[in-house]
Amino acid sequence: HGALSWKAFTIASETYLAVANYYNKAANSHNIDSVIYKWNGTEFEEFQKIPTHGAFDWEVVTLGADTYLAVANYYNNTTRNINSVIYKWNGALFVAYQNIATNGALDWEAFTIGTDTFLGLSNYSNDSSNNINSKVYRWNGVEFEEHQALPTHGAYDMEVFTVGIKTYLAAANYYNGTTYNINSTVYLWNGSTFVEEALLPTNGAKDFQAFSIDGTLYLALANGYNGTTRNLNSVIYCPE
């Protein structure tokens, strides 16, 4: 129902697919189930329904023997200021484990630095402004706690990548309430927090994707809208 993303993952020897259902037009509602499917040897069959609210994205985090599944909830028909939820695999199915207060959540990004596990969250809007903080959460051994707030403007996506021993986080900014033609930001991990490293001119940025070819890392940016047209160039960046 208005599906926006898939997430594939494995637990033990089983393979699953989670779909983020955003909107049911027939019911005129964002408060609908998203679904986890399980491979039965021939096809994917429905395994578990999870109540979601304008679900935009799923992310999987593995911590030791435990598997967690985080959903980004965007809108509940009334407000974007709602909880997104982290679920934990209990050996048979996923159960709610932790609520995270979010503001029009669009994207989760799981990553590790050293022995620490983090979840980055892109917040799009708090109903009154797109100029709000997105967040980085760190696993403290029991739950994910807020580690850092990053100023963003209608953030659509986070992408974490490494170059040598350096870790970077790119935040795709879509809209600042006035214009779509704004900078997106690349942050550098300084050993304790992310600090601004570079500003990239973007036009309604929706997605970053890092990839390597023959040992060289590239960063692809998806430009979505410049206020007039969606027919515009996207950009691939490479090291100087």
Side-chain angles (χ1 to χ4, degrees):
H1 304 283
L4 291 179
S5 71
W6 285 104
K7 187 66 179 181
F9 58 97
T10 60
I11 300 175
S13 58
E14 305 289 353
T15 300
Y16 300 84
L17 269 175
V19 65
N21 284 323
Y22 176 74
Y23 177 67
N24 184 330
K25 184 176 181 180
N28 189 29
S29 181
H30 295 83
N31 302 316
I32 56 177
D33 291 334
S34 290
V35 185
I36 300 170
Y37 298 88
K38 181 179 180 181
W39 181 253
N40 66 11
T42 305
E43 62 183 6
F44 284 96
E45 62 183 1
E46 186 178 301
F47 174 76
Q48 183 180 356
K49 291 182 176 179
I50 293 181
T52 54
H53 309 284
F56 236 84
D57 183 55
W58 287 105
E59 181 65 298
V60 174
V61 185
T62 302
L63 291 161
D66 294 323
T67 300
Y68 298 84
L69 186 62
V71 65
N73 284 322
Y74 176 76
Y75 185 62
N76 70 354
N77 293 340
T78 303
T79 180
R80 296 176 181 88
N81 303 315
I82 54 178
N83 289 330
S84 291
V85 184
I86 299 172
Y87 298 87
K88 182 179 180 180
W89 179 254
N90 70 1
L93 48 79
F94 284 97
V95 295
Y97 183 80
Q98 183 181 357
N99 290 322
I100 302 285
T102 55
N103 310 107
L106 294 187
D107 179 65
W108 285 110
E109 174 81 354
F111 59 98
T112 59
I113 301 176
T115 59
D116 288 322
T117 299
F118 297 87
L119 272 173
L121 173 74
S122 299
N123 281 318
Y124 181 78
S125 172
N126 64 2
D127 292 340
S128 61
S129 179
N130 296 92
N131 303 313
I132 57 175
N133 291 329
S134 292
K135 302 291 183 67
V136 176
Y137 300 89
R138 184 183 66 86
W139 179 253
N140 65 13
V142 178
E143 63 182 6
F144 285 94
E145 63 181 2
E146 184 177 324
H147 180 77
Q148 184 177 1
L150 299 172
T152 52
H153 309 283
Y156 234 90
D157 178 63
M158 281 188 186
E159 177 79 357
V160 174
F161 56 96
T162 59
V163 180
I165 62 172
K166 294 181 179 180
T167 299
Y168 297 87
L169 184 154
N173 288 320
Y174 183 76
Y175 182 61
N176 70 358
T178 302
T179 180
Y180 300 87
N181 305 311
I182 54 179
N183 291 325
S184 290
T185 308
V186 178
Y187 298 90
L188 171 66
W189 180 255
N190 69 3
S192 58
T193 59
F194 286 100
V195 295
E196 185 179 299
E197 174 74 3
L199 297 174
L200 305 177
T202 54
N203 311 109
K206 283 195 166 184
D207 186 61
F208 276 110
Q209 181 64 54
F211 60 96
S212 294
I213 300 175
D214 296 331
T216 299
L217 186 132
Y218 298 85
L219 185 64
L221 165 74
N223 281 317
Y225 187 52
N226 67 1
T228 303
T229 181
R230 292 177 172 82
N231 303 319
L232 66 167
N233 290 329
S234 291
V235 183
I236 299 173
Y237 298 90
C238 66
E240 292 182 346

